[in-house]
Amino acid sequence: MHDRDAMAGREPIAAERALNELIAEVASPVATFVLEPDFEGASGLQGHNAERAWRHLSSLPLADMPAPLLRAAQLAIALAGGERERP
């Protein structure tokens, strides 16, 4: 899972495109989940640092989890051979 680091309809800068392509190549496109435009936008946590985001998200009931993060977790479980189906 990684950030796309560009708004929908816009291309990331060259360095971000190169990094995104490398991640997809190393991890395989099937095992790659891209957050658009970035973690903060996908999670709805603008301006949160990682620790504050973790504290907030870990306290949420499953029904209130941001949809992009829930899909990423479901994909990770499916790829690990878990019981949930891939979204």
Side-chain angles (χ1 to χ4, degrees):
M1 179 169 57
H2 67 93
D3 294 357
R4 182 172 181 269
D5 285 323
M7 299 301 288
R10 302 185 85 178
E11 283 295 315
I13 62 172
E16 292 293 344
R17 280 194 313 270
L19 180 58
N20 293 346
E21 290 168 8
L22 179 61
I23 291 169
E25 179 183 320
V26 171
S28 93
V30 174
T32 303
F33 191 91
V34 182
L35 296 172
E36 293 181 349
D38 54 23
F39 174 80
E40 294 81 4
S43 66
L45 297 173
Q46 299 301 324
H48 281 62
N49 67 27
E51 182 181 352
R52 286 179 58 207
W54 172 255
R55 277 190 266 135
H56 173 74
L57 293 169
S58 66
S59 69
L60 290 178
L62 188 59
D64 294 338
M65 187 64 61
L69 300 184
L70 185 57
R71 286 192 305 274
Q74 290 169 333
L75 175 60
I77 291 167
L79 290 171
E83 295 178 13
R84 295 187 185 207
E85 293 183 20
R86 184 174 171 181

